[in-house]
Amino acid sequence: MGSSVLDRNCFILCIMLLLSAQSRSQEIVSRATYYKSSDGLGTSSGACGYGEYGRKVNDGRVTGVSKLYKNGSGCGACYRVKCKMPSCCSEDGTIVVVTDHAEGSHTPDFVLTANAYAEMARPNMDTKLLSCGIIGVEYRRIPCLYDANLLLKVHEISKYPAYLAVLLLFVPGSDDITAFQVWQEDSNNWRPMRRAYGAVYDISNPPLGVLTLRFQVTVSADYNYWVQLDNVLPSDWDAGLTYNTGISS
């Protein structure tokens, strides 16, 4: 079943972490603002399709992005964002996870949660920083690191057995997920899945039985590789459930 596919979990993890170590070190100048919520966390209705995960991952330090959304392949990316106001901003900035799309004629690159935005401030300066609204920032992409295994979620829009939609949670590294496929045992080939929206991939009339899937990781315009998830979904998979891939993040 695809002899060129990287299908040994330990080997996969080593490669992902090695690639992640080559994180984007160049800091880019941009702008950021924040959206208000009663608890300072994210939203469960973000464009990436993460649901409640998109609200609480990374302790709610998440962001909507504009051009960095990249038609959904930017979902799940991690960035270190630092504001450029030395009088009230810390050197450390904040680390955020992309969970939403934020677009408009005057939209900054980042629309952070209030908690993440305030975290960029020096001690006791968060109120002053929050009063600024839109601020200048510099950012760089960094590897995502989680104390959790990579999970495959069957999205709530799935309808067993005729329609399957999936997405990945706790994706490590600093590269993009750009394709998904499911193995069709009876025809001995990989069937492509469609990017439905955000981080969600779907397929009508998926194979019956236990399912093996794989996803493509794009490192650069010239290099990508596949990660295979053998027998990751049971024959009676159910909408809304998450399944452990066994790959550590």
Side-chain angles (χ1 to χ4, degrees), residues 23-25 70 77-79 139-143 174-176:
S23 60
R24 287 74 169 167
S25 59
K70 296 185 287 188
C78 292
Y79 292 90
Y139 71 90
R140 62 183 175 92
R141 187 162 180 182
I142 63 172
S174 56
D175 303 308
D176 296 333

Side-chain angles (χ1 to χ4, degrees), residues 6-245:
L6 305 177
D7 55 3
R8 295 292 185 272
N9 285 351
C10 290
F11 188 40
I12 289 169
L13 178 60
C14 289
I15 289 177
M16 292 179 81
L17 290 179
L18 283 172
L19 292 170
S20 296
Q22 303 170 10
S23 60
R24 287 74 169 167
S25 59
Q26 182 180 5
E27 293 185 333
I28 302 170
V29 175
S30 184
R31 298 183 305 154
T33 187
Y34 68 97
Y35 62 90
K36 297 178 181 179
S37 61
S38 59
D39 55 12
L41 302 180
T43 173
S44 60
S45 58
C48 290
Y50 288 133
E52 191 66 10
Y53 168 90
R55 198 175 83 84
K56 293 183 177 178
V57 66
N58 195 36
D59 293 326
R61 295 191 299 274
V62 300
T63 185
V65 292
S66 51
K67 63 184 179 182
L68 296 174
Y69 183 73
K70 296 185 287 188
N71 295 318
S73 64
C75 290
C78 292
Y79 292 90
R80 182 179 293 278
V81 184
K82 297 187 290 186
C83 67
K84 302 181 66 179
M85 297 173 59
S87 62
C88 64
C89 294
S90 72
E91 291 288 331
D92 296 330
T94 186
I95 294 174
V96 291
V97 181
V98 173
T99 60
D100 202 358
H101 182 222
E103 193 63 80
S105 58
H106 301 292
T107 304
D109 279 338
F110 293 90
V111 182
L112 309 172
T113 55
N115 286 355
Y117 187 97
E119 192 174 54
M120 294 187 290
R122 292 182 181 275
N124 304 315
M125 298 293 287
D126 52 330
T127 301
K128 180 178 179 181
L129 183 60
L130 287 165
S131 69
C132 294
I134 297 177
I135 58 173
V137 297
E138 55 187 19
Y139 71 90
R140 62 183 175 92
R141 187 162 180 182
I142 63 172
C144 295
L145 297 173
Y146 299 105
D147 185 20
N149 280 359
L150 178 69
L151 300 180
L152 182 75
K153 179 179 180 181
V154 177
H155 198 279
E156 287 83 357
I157 60 176
S158 299
K159 302 292 183 183
Y160 180 86
Y163 172 72
L164 173 65
V166 299
L167 68 159
L168 292 169
L169 309 180
F170 300 113
V171 179
S174 56
D175 303 308
D176 296 333
I177 307 301
T178 52
F180 244 100
Q181 296 179 343
V182 60
W183 179 250
Q184 183 80 40
E185 185 69 35
D186 56 9
S187 59
N188 199 40
N189 71 345
W190 289 100
R191 288 177 58 190
M193 300 181 74
R194 177 185 69 112
R195 185 188 291 277
Y197 70 97
V200 181
Y201 286 83
D202 68 358
I203 188 169
S204 296
N205 301 312
L208 299 177
V210 177
L211 297 182
T212 289
L213 292 87
R214 68 177 184 176
F215 60 90
Q216 182 175 254
V217 180
T218 294
V219 181
S220 68
D222 302 317
Y223 179 61
N224 57 62
Y225 62 95
W226 291 91
V227 177
Q228 186 165 310
L229 307 174
D230 291 318
N231 303 323
V232 67
L233 291 183
S235 58
D236 59 347
W237 54 263
D238 198 3
L241 296 185
T242 56
Y243 297 88
N244 197 328
T245 68

